[in-house]
Amino acid sequence: MNKSIWQISLAIAVCFSACTSNKEEEKSEEATFTVTSPIVIDTSFTKEYVAQIQSLQNIEIRAQVQGYLESINVDEGQQVHAGQVLFNIMPKQYQAELAKAKAEAKASEIELQNVKTLNEKNIVSPSEVAMAQSKFDAAKADQAIAELHVSFTEIKAPFDGVIDRIKFKVGSLIDAGNLLTTLSNNKDVYAYFNISEVEYLNYKANNNGNVKGNATLLLANNLEHKYKGTVETIESEFNNTTGNIDFRAKFPNPDLLLKNGETGKVRLVVVLKGALVIPQKATYEIQDKDYVYVVDKNNLIKSRCITITHKLPNLYVIGSGLTVTDKILLEGIQNVKEDDKIKTKFEQPEVVLSSLQLIK
């Protein structure tokens, strides 16, 4: 009986020893942490800017004379061509004024010829010829004004474009200056957006001081406009309130998909040369500040605050807090604390980057 108890106790002791040994081995394996270093690379990323879209040409069509709206020859949303008649204002009054002006001009012309004939016969003085000439010139000017008023009764499109909402109906009494509609040329559109002073300086540096650069337009439905654009102009002054400066990009719009007044986002590719980067997973955040664990020469864990200037796919661009000689904890951040001594396994930063799913 005693022998049996002794055998059981021995078996339990052996089992306990084996279990303890296995746990120690697991703990030893868990205590080996992968570390790496920051690396300097040339890279790029895409930055989005909220943009306001405007037509290449967008004008108001207004009446220039008073009268009744006799006809509307187009419909809202219709594509029209340069020179096409859009509206007619009742022209009879202005046609009558033109007929009267023509008659007066003809009469003054006849009078001028008669005075010239008499002057040649020394019957009238040269001053009377000058007076007749002046009267004829005034009559011709009145005729030209009357002709202009008649032309204003026929309102034509100054360029190819799309008609917006029509404000009046046929028969309405129109005053000079009344807005009839607007006309937009949308074959190309402008996208206006603004960027900060730092981004402006980086943009100029990356483009060797040139203004022009490639751009992509993201529409309100989060789909890209299928035609690429070009940054054309930069305004001359920064806004003192926001510290930003306005850019203008031009996009082809042959399908007339884009309309004046739309919104979207302009995407620019920002080039970063000599950027110090680390994997995002090597960082953690406390009270809106970013940290990494740095492993010193004695394999002790030290937390360090860093600044992040740009966020790339799976990478952070570091502004301050790290150098290429630092060793940072890559994995197991949740399993360590300040001043822990750990066993490390160094992995080259090039290998770490190649294992990340980077968007190129």
Side-chain angles (χ1 to χ4, degrees):
M1 184 69 176
N2 292 336
K3 183 178 180 181
S4 177
I5 293 174
W6 180 82
Q7 290 175 339
I8 292 172
S9 300
L10 181 60
I12 292 173
V14 171
C15 180
F16 179 79
S17 176
C19 291
T20 302
S21 177
N22 290 337
K23 288 181 179 179
E24 288 178 352
E25 289 177 4
E26 290 176 2
K27 185 176 181 180
S28 177
E29 290 176 359
E30 290 173 359
T32 301
F33 294 90
T34 301
V35 298
T36 189
S37 293
I39 186 173
V40 175
I41 62 172
D42 292 339
T43 185
S44 64
F45 68 98
T46 301
K47 183 71 180 290
E48 294 181 353
Y49 303 91
V50 176
Q52 182 74 36
I53 298 171
Q54 295 186 12
S55 302
L56 190 65
Q57 295 172 286
N58 180 260
I59 64 167
E60 296 177 337
I61 304 293
R62 294 182 178 271
Q64 292 182 278
V65 292
Q66 185 186 51
Y68 288 97
L69 190 59
E70 185 176 54
S71 65
I72 299 174
N73 307 314
V74 292
D75 199 1
E76 297 169 342
Q78 181 180 335
Q79 178 74 30
V80 298
H81 304 288
Q84 183 175 340
V85 178
L86 309 179
F87 305 96
N88 290 99
I89 295 175
M90 192 75 71
K92 291 183 180 178
Q93 173 188 347
Y94 300 102
Q95 289 173 342
E97 290 177 355
L98 175 59
K100 179 182 177 182
K102 285 182 176 179
E104 291 178 351
K106 185 64 176 176
S108 61
E109 182 181 15
I110 293 171
E111 182 181 349
L112 175 61
Q113 293 299 326
N114 290 337
V115 172
K116 285 182 177 180
T117 300
L118 294 174
N119 177 256
E120 290 172 356
K121 297 178 179 179
N122 294 321
I123 298 175
V124 297
S125 65
S127 62
E128 291 188 51
V129 176
M131 290 291 293
Q133 181 68 53
S134 178
K135 185 177 179 181
F136 173 68
D137 292 341
K140 292 296 289 184
D142 289 340
Q143 180 183 334
I145 292 173
E147 288 174 346
L148 185 62
H149 286 163
V150 170
S151 71
F152 286 160
T153 65
E154 191 175 67
I155 301 172
K156 299 179 180 180
F159 53 80
D160 293 353
V162 179
I163 294 293
D164 193 24
R165 180 171 296 182
I166 297 172
K167 308 296 182 180
F168 294 92
K169 305 299 181 184
V170 172
S172 300
L173 178 61
I174 305 299
D175 288 326
N178 280 160
L179 176 64
L180 302 178
T181 187
T182 57
L183 180 65
S184 298
N185 175 6
N186 297 325
K187 290 182 179 179
D188 295 288
V189 297
Y190 291 133
Y192 289 89
F193 60 100
N194 58 74
I195 72 174
S196 69
E197 184 175 355
V198 172
E199 291 170 325
Y200 160 76
L201 294 174
N202 289 338
Y203 176 87
K204 294 286 282 187
N206 293 332
N207 288 276
N208 296 319
N210 295 324
V211 171
K212 294 187 180 295
N214 297 325
T216 303
L217 182 62
L218 186 67
L219 305 181
N221 59 359
N222 288 323
L223 296 178
E224 282 190 3
H225 184 50
K226 63 182 181 180
Y227 300 99
K228 301 297 182 182
T230 304
V231 175
E232 287 192 332
T233 62
I234 302 173
E235 288 194 357
S236 61
E237 295 182 3
F238 281 87
N239 185 308
N240 290 332
T241 303
T242 64
N244 295 336
I245 192 168
D246 286 340
F247 277 47
R248 189 189 78 195
K250 185 178 180 181
F251 291 89
N253 188 38
D255 302 333
L256 303 181
L257 174 66
L258 304 177
K259 305 291 184 183
N260 188 71
E262 276 189 76
T263 58
K265 294 179 180 178
V266 171
R267 284 177 170 173
L268 298 181
V269 175
V270 180
V271 177
L272 297 175
K273 296 183 178 180
L276 184 69
V277 301
I278 63 171
Q280 289 187 12
K281 64 180 181 179
T283 67
Y284 63 97
E285 186 177 319
I286 299 177
Q287 296 181 346
D288 298 328
K289 291 186 177 181
D290 297 293
Y291 293 85
V292 295
Y293 280 125
V294 177
V295 182
D296 67 14
K297 61 181 180 180
N298 297 317
N299 283 345
L300 292 178
I301 292 290
K302 300 291 183 181
S303 61
R304 186 180 296 177
C305 184
I306 60 173
T307 59
I308 297 171
T309 58
H310 299 97
K311 296 182 179 181
L312 309 181
N314 294 318
L315 294 178
Y316 285 145
V317 178
I318 303 303
S320 63
L322 289 174
T323 67
V324 290
T325 60
D326 289 320
K327 291 183 179 180
I328 60 173
L329 189 62
L330 182 62
E331 296 174 346
I333 293 174
Q334 294 79 14
N335 301 325
V336 298
K337 60 183 182 298
E338 187 79 4
D339 292 326
D340 276 356
K341 187 170 184 178
I342 61 172
K343 182 179 179 182
T344 63
K345 178 183 68 174
F346 184 78
E347 190 165 350
Q348 292 294 335
E350 295 84 358
V351 176
V352 175
L353 260 63
S354 66
S355 67
L356 299 176
Q357 295 180 355
L358 302 180
I359 299 176
K360 297 181 180 180

